[in-house]
Amino acid sequence: MARQNVAPTKSNLLAVKEQLSVSLNGYELLEEKREILVRELMSLVEKVKLLENDIDKVIAKAYPAIRRMLLLDGADQIERIAYSVHYDFEMTEKKVSIGGIPFSTIDVSLPQKELFYSLIGTYANTDNTIDKLFELLSLLTQMASIRTIVWRLAMEVKKTQRRVNALDKMIIPQAKETKSYIESVLEERERENVFVLKALKKRNVK
């Protein structure tokens, strides 16, 4: 690692020591931050896996229910029901804090289920199908919210890791090498000064 291109003076030595101290403290703080973020990320990834499992289970029930609905009600009746069903979904930005870092995600408020169609000409399977689709929609909105945080958290982990690597592989080694270089030059100068003083002292004695 190449040292910094600075003059070997006492003032520069103090400056390099200060830089090294700040860099070492920064490295420890960033490494601690990275570990916290990684733990939080792994926890969210686990939640995503559980949600994916729940979604798969609901889909496994919802699609057969839709097929039964098509057989019993017919495509025309399902189209009429679909046009009669109308829900308003409220989407808002939600702020969350993970590891002391604020993140923005979406929060979807699902409305209460209502009966928009007549019971005449429909079957119990119609209600069951709508229930399953409503449940699926609820899970998908949860997934969208968590995935947004996971993506942004992963980017923050990546950015923090780059900073940790820069300190560990470049800035700290460079500061250490510069410090050693300046110290060695100053020590050599000190030895030369002592030698000159001794020589002058001997000459004066004679």
Side-chain angles (χ1 to χ4, degrees):
M1 175 61 63
R3 59 178 173 80
Q4 298 175 28
N5 186 23
V6 295
T9 62
K10 289 183 179 180
S11 60
N12 282 337
L13 178 60
L14 291 174
V16 170
K17 284 183 176 180
E18 178 66 21
Q19 180 192 11
L20 181 58
S21 176
V22 171
S23 297
L24 289 171
N25 289 335
Y27 174 81
E28 291 177 2
L29 290 173
L30 283 173
E31 182 64 20
E32 183 180 349
K33 172 186 174 182
R34 187 191 66 82
E35 291 175 0
I36 292 172
L37 293 179
V38 168
R39 284 198 300 269
E40 293 290 345
L41 181 60
M42 292 300 100
S43 175
L44 287 174
V45 168
E46 189 61 32
K47 288 182 180 179
V48 167
K49 289 180 180 178
L50 292 174
L51 267 175
E52 286 176 342
N53 187 49
D54 291 340
I55 288 171
D56 289 341
K57 288 179 180 178
V58 174
I59 287 176
K61 295 177 181 178
Y63 278 84
I66 292 174
R67 285 194 292 270
R68 286 194 298 272
M69 187 176 174
L70 279 169
L71 290 173
L72 293 172
D73 294 339
D76 292 339
Q77 176 69 352
I78 291 176
E79 187 174 357
R80 282 193 292 272
I81 292 172
Y83 278 119
S84 66
V85 175
H86 176 74
Y87 285 109
D88 291 320
F89 299 92
E90 184 180 349
M91 297 181 65
T92 56
E93 183 182 18
K94 182 172 68 174
K95 300 289 186 180
V96 296
S97 179
I98 299 176
I101 301 174
F103 292 93
S104 297
T105 184
I106 56 171
D107 189 24
V108 181
S109 300
L110 295 178
Q112 294 294 321
K113 285 182 289 186
E114 299 179 40
L115 184 64
F116 290 96
Y117 52 89
S118 171
L119 295 176
I120 300 173
T122 60
Y123 299 87
N125 183 69
T126 304
D127 297 334
N128 179 58
T129 301
I130 292 176
D131 285 343
K132 291 301 178 187
L133 293 175
F134 207 89
E135 183 181 358
L136 179 60
L137 182 61
S138 175
L139 292 172
L140 289 175
T141 56
Q142 292 178 51
M143 176 67 80
S145 178
I146 292 179
R147 278 186 179 273
T148 301
I149 299 175
V150 166
W151 181 79
R152 291 179 177 169
L153 187 55
M155 295 300 293
E156 188 65 33
V157 169
K158 188 176 180 180
K159 183 169 67 176
T160 303
Q161 185 63 60
R162 283 200 301 266
R163 291 174 178 172
V164 169
N165 290 341
L167 285 168
D168 186 40
K169 306 298 183 183
M170 295 177 59
I171 297 174
I172 291 176
Q174 188 180 61
K176 285 181 176 179
E177 187 168 335
T178 304
K179 173 177 170 290
S180 297
Y181 164 72
I182 295 176
E183 287 175 339
S184 66
V185 171
L186 293 178
E187 287 171 2
E188 182 62 28
R189 286 177 182 173
E190 186 66 26
R191 284 193 295 269
E192 289 176 358
N193 290 336
V194 170
F195 177 79
V196 170
L197 288 173
K198 285 182 178 180
L200 290 174
K201 188 175 181 181
K202 287 180 181 180
R203 181 180 299 177
N204 290 333
V205 169
K206 291 179 180 180

